[in-house]
Amino acid sequence: SKVGVIGVPIHMGQPRPGTEHGPEAMREGGLISKLEGLGLDVEDQGDLFLEKHDEDIHDHPAKNVKNVGSASSQIADSVYNTIKSGRTCLALGGDHSMAIGSIYGHSLAEPDHVVIWVDAHADINTPLTSSSGNMHGMPLSFLVKEVQPYLPDIPHFDNIKPCLSAKNIAYIGLRDVDPGERYIIEKLGIHSFSMTEVDKFGIKDCVEKALHAVDPEGNKPIHLSFDIDALDPSLAPSTGTPVPGGLSIREGNYIAEELAATGRLTCVDLAEVNPKLGNDRDNETTVRSAITIIQHCFGNRRQG
Ligand SMILES: N[C@@]1(C(=O)O)CN(C[C@@H]2CCCCN2)C[C@@H]1CCC[B-](O)(O)O
Ligand SMILES: [Mn+2]
Ligand SMILES: [Mn+2]
Ligand SMILES: [Mn+2]
C-alpha cells in the first residue's frame, strides 16, 4: 500500500526547543528505509516549510496563536492532499499542536473518520482552562464540536473548523489530566482508557473497547494521534512532558498492530519527539521507540 510521509517541524506549541528536529531525527534513525522494507510504496514529502510570523497578539491565553494557526493551515492542506492522492498519511512531529492541522486535513478528505488518541495527556484544554498556555495541550479543544461554546475567540484559526464529535474520540494511556480536561471529558462522555484501565483490563480489552466505542460498525477511517510520551519515559526519555508509569513497547506495538489490522488506518501522527532533550542514548532510545511504533502501524507484525 501507499504511504505519504510529511515532516512537521513545529515547536511553537510548547516551550522546549527541539521538537522541530523530530522529523529529521526519525529519518536519520532509518525510518523511510524501514518502511520501504515492509514492501510499502513510500513517498517522503520532506519537511513542511512552516512560515514564521511575528506574534501580533500578546494578551491571548494561548501562546503563539499566529504561528500555530498558520502552521495548522499548512499541515491541513498537506495532509488533505496526501490522503486525497490515495496514500495513508504519516505526519512526523513536531509538538502535538500538529494534530490540529492533521486531524482537520484528514476530516476534509474523510469526514466520518474517528480518532484514537494515545497520550499521557488529554490535550483538550481550552485556552481558558490551560494552566500553561501551551497549545500542544489544546489541540482537541479546537476540533471537537461540543467544546466550541466554551472557547474564547481564537485569532488566526479561521481556516480550522471543528470537525469531530466527542463520541468519535477514544483515549488510551492517560495518566496526567488537568481538572478542566477531566470536566470536559466527563461532561462530553469522551471514551477514556487511562493507565488505570490498561492495568485493570489489559491492553487487548482497552483497544477492543476503544475501537468499538468510536466505530461500532467497524467501517470508519481511523486517525491515530500517537504522542511518544504515552510510552513509559524509560522508552521515550527525549520528550517535553514525560510522565512515569507509561505504556510498555509491547502495549504500544499491540495498539499499532490492532489498528493496522483494521485496514482502515488512514492517518498517523507521531508527536513530541524532542532530540534536543536528554543525552545521545536517550535520543536513540526515543527515536527507536518511535520508529518501532510506526513500523507496527504500517504492517510490521511481531508474529511475522
Ligand atoms: N495538560 C498540560 C498542558 O500544558 O496543557 C499540563 N501538563 C504538564 C503539567 C505538569 C505539572 C503536573 C500537571 N501536568 C502538560 C500538558 C500538555 C501536554 C501536551 B502533550 O502534547 O505532550 O500531550
Ligand atoms: Mn503528552
Ligand atoms: Mn500530546
Ligand atoms: Mn509534550
Side-chain angles (χ1 to χ4, degrees), residues 74-278:
Q74 289 184 253
I75 297 161
D77 289 348
S78 184
V79 167
Y80 171 80
N81 291 329
T82 299
I83 294 170
K84 280 308 246 187
S85 75
R87 291 180 178 273
T88 299
C89 186
L90 170 59
L92 304 175
D95 73 64
H96 221 162
S97 65
M98 69 186 283
I100 299 171
S102 72
I103 288 175
Y104 183 61
H106 188 182
S107 70
L108 293 176
E110 302 279 0
D112 63 344
H113 79 73
V114 299
V115 173
I116 303 291
W117 195 280
V118 182
D119 201 326
H121 311 94
D123 293 6
I124 199 165
N125 273 308
T126 74
L128 297 175
T129 65
S130 171
S131 53
S132 67
N134 298 327
M135 294 190 76
H136 72 162
M138 305 179 194
L140 283 170
S141 81
F142 285 53
L143 299 164
V144 178
K145 293 169 187 169
E146 296 90 339
V147 177
Q148 298 317 299
Y150 305 94
L151 280 187
D153 173 53
I154 318 270
H156 304 301
F157 274 82
D158 302 344
N159 301 343
I160 303 289
K161 305 280 184 275
C163 58
L164 291 177
S165 301
K167 68 181 186 317
N168 296 127
I169 302 166
Y171 288 115
I172 301 176
L174 298 185
R175 53 190 186 275
D176 177 15
V177 178
D178 294 340
E181 297 179 304
R182 177 176 172 165
Y183 174 81
I184 292 168
I185 291 166
E186 288 178 355
K187 185 172 177 63
L188 301 185
I190 297 177
H191 312 288
S192 167
F193 299 88
S194 73
M195 290 310 298
T196 304
E197 282 71 46
V198 173
D199 289 337
K200 188 180 292 186
F201 304 125
I203 194 66
K204 169 198 171 284
D205 277 7
C206 289
V207 174
E208 211 165 84
K209 291 175 179 183
L211 278 174
H212 183 75
V214 299
D215 177 16
E217 278 84 41
N219 58 7
K220 293 187 177 173
I222 299 167
H223 187 115
L224 169 63
S225 205
F226 198 105
D227 184 326
I228 201 68
D229 71 30
L231 299 180
D232 189 81
S234 62
L235 294 163
S238 298
T239 193
T241 52
V243 185
L247 296 170
S248 67
I249 195 66
R250 287 169 51 187
E251 289 163 334
N253 288 339
Y254 183 80
I255 295 168
E257 286 171 343
E258 286 301 294
L259 295 185
T262 65
R264 298 192 310 281
L265 189 54
T266 315
C267 193
V268 176
D269 306 321
L270 198 298
E272 297 284 348
V273 170
N274 187 333
K276 300 300 177 204
L277 298 177

